Amino acid sequence: MVLERPGESLVKRELPDPEPGESQVLLEVSACGVCRTDLHIVDGELTEPKLPLVPGHQMVARVSGGGERFAAGDRVGVPWLGWTDGTCRYCRSGRENLCDRARFTGYQRDGGYAQLAVADERFCFPISSDYPDLQAAPLLCAGLIGFRTLKLAGDAERLGIYGFGGAAHIICQVAVHQGRRVFAFTRAGDDETQRFALELGAEWAGDALGPPPEELDAALIFAPAGELVPAALRAVAKGGAVACGGIHMSDIPQMPYELLWGERMLRSVANLTRADGEEFLALAPRVPVRTEVETFPLGEANEALDRLRSGRIRGSAVLVP
Ligand SMILES: [Zn+2]
Ligand SMILES: [Zn+2]
């Protein structure tokens, strides 16, 4: 499925088979998760896609040739971070997620909304046999970047999670496993999502813009809504962190400095490092994280994106070629 122009629906196209270059593997895609970032690309909110573009950066695939790291038939996961230069000041200081020249899967390189793909083998992850293809797909972005967001929020005991979709449903399980208390904040009146959060171990679920039941030590924001920033800062205790896990957000409304005062911290989370991926993919089966997926045939990618846009996906959407 191909994005020809931002703001338009994806179109089904027969493309020539991709050819693996140096350090690249040729992949047969088994499943590809749908991420909110894909929506930001399709809707034109992220402005530097290659065009035409095959989106998708939560790809589970089997190696069918190329490279040296994997054997034919090996199962790998391909995440958002597709390539870095390895030489800039960020790469040399363990922060390849901030690489100035990074290339991202399904954005500047064709991704997994396809039957075949190529990827740089150095940025692929082996996938634990604990997870079938469909259940593994959401680990590759919702899981990885959600986990980085959780880490950057510090070791808070009372953790608020704003926006309870793909990332939150995974990170809620990890946080509960770590002994934290989770409070889930959803759209007002979204009883179904609130019930889902409670099933996954949250001890409270309620409206994002309403008052929290008690003070929080940290908050993670996974919904792309800027008005959640002052709401989350208002809910966290002195010294607490608010970490925004998304790549794009609507404007943050003007707010009084008092909300940040008291050594509260506000930060964003950008991309992932390979170390994040290795750490999270080793942790997930030990929790164990169970991903809930709604599957769509590849040709129904537009339907999956529409459902995600309107908040009508329980857990994560996954495309199957
Ligand atoms: Zn770099
Ligand atoms: Zn993503």
Side-chain angles (χ1 to χ4, degrees):
M1 298 295 285
V2 175
L3 178 68
E4 294 189 331
R5 271 173 298 276
E8 295 181 4
S9 293
L10 305 183
V11 289
K12 191 185 269 185
R13 286 276 180 270
E14 278 295 329
L15 301 175
D17 288 358
E19 304 235 353
E22 199 187 355
S23 300
Q24 289 188 328
V25 277
L26 178 64
L27 299 166
E28 282 176 32
V29 182
S30 312
C32 187
V34 178
C35 176
R36 183 165 292 282
T37 298
D38 301 341
L39 266 186
H40 295 314
I41 294 167
V42 169
D43 291 347
E45 290 156 337
L46 296 183
T47 56
E48 294 168 21
K50 77 179 266 297
L51 289 172
L53 171 74
V54 178
H57 58 269
Q58 303 188 90
M59 193 194 316
V60 177
R62 283 179 178 66
V63 173
S64 65
E68 294 176 349
R69 183 179 169 200
F70 299 102
D74 281 358
R75 188 169 70 143
V76 298
V78 183
W80 170 244
L81 187 71
W83 182 87
T84 58
D85 59 15
T87 57
C88 74
R89 57 197 296 268
Y90 298 107
C91 286
R92 285 188 284 110
S93 57
R95 297 179 292 164
E96 65 182 358
N97 60 306
L98 301 178
C99 178
D100 286 327
R101 297 176 62 214
R103 288 287 172 268
F104 299 104
T105 311
Y107 186 40
Q108 285 124 1
R109 299 185 153 203
D110 282 337
Y113 286 21
Q115 292 167 307
L116 297 175
V118 294
D120 189 310
E121 62 180 353
R122 296 167 296 179
F123 291 83
C124 297
F125 298 111
I127 304 253
S128 158
S129 58
D130 296 285
Y131 290 93
D133 294 340
L134 296 174
Q135 280 68 29
L139 300 176
L140 291 163
C141 184
L144 295 190
I145 293 183
F147 182 61
R148 184 173 175 87
T149 310
L150 177 66
K151 286 203 298 185
L152 294 191
D155 53 2
E157 186 200 352
R158 299 168 297 179
L159 181 73
I161 300 183
Y162 287 76
F164 210 87
H169 97 284
I170 293 172
I171 294 313
C172 178
Q173 298 172 60
V174 175
V176 169
H177 171 76
Q178 292 173 334
R180 304 175 196 251
R181 299 169 58 202
V182 175
F183 300 81
F185 296 82
T186 73
R187 294 182 207 214
D190 187 350
D191 300 336
E192 197 180 325
T193 303
Q194 291 177 8
R195 269 197 305 278
F196 183 42
L198 296 172
E199 285 166 27
L200 292 172
E203 70 173 62
W204 175 90
D207 298 347
L209 297 177
E214 59 184 279
E215 225 175 22
L216 306 172
D217 299 309
L220 318 181
I221 301 179
F222 291 121
E227 72 258 29
L228 295 176
V229 170
L233 281 169
R234 196 171 274 122
V236 300
K238 287 182 283 190
V242 174
C244 303
I247 193 169
H248 174 83
M249 195 181 243
S250 57
D251 286 350
I252 298 170
Q254 192 173 27
M255 62 184 185
Y257 176 59
E258 183 191 332
L259 292 183
L260 192 60
W261 169 248
E263 301 196 345
R264 291 175 181 84
M265 290 165 279
L266 175 63
R267 70 181 304 171
S268 64
V269 173
N271 316 315
L272 68 139
T273 64
R274 282 171 284 181
D276 293 328
E278 281 150 21
E279 184 181 354
F280 175 71
L281 292 172
L283 173 67
R286 294 205 309 269
V287 169
V289 170
R290 305 220 179 280
T291 55
E292 185 136 346
V293 302
E294 286 191 42
T295 60
F296 298 82
L298 178 58
E300 290 175 19
N302 290 310
E303 163 74 6
L305 288 166
D306 284 343
R307 294 262 308 274
L308 179 61
R309 188 182 285 108
S310 57
R312 289 178 296 131
I313 298 283
R314 181 181 160 99
S316 295
V318 177
L319 302 177
V320 183

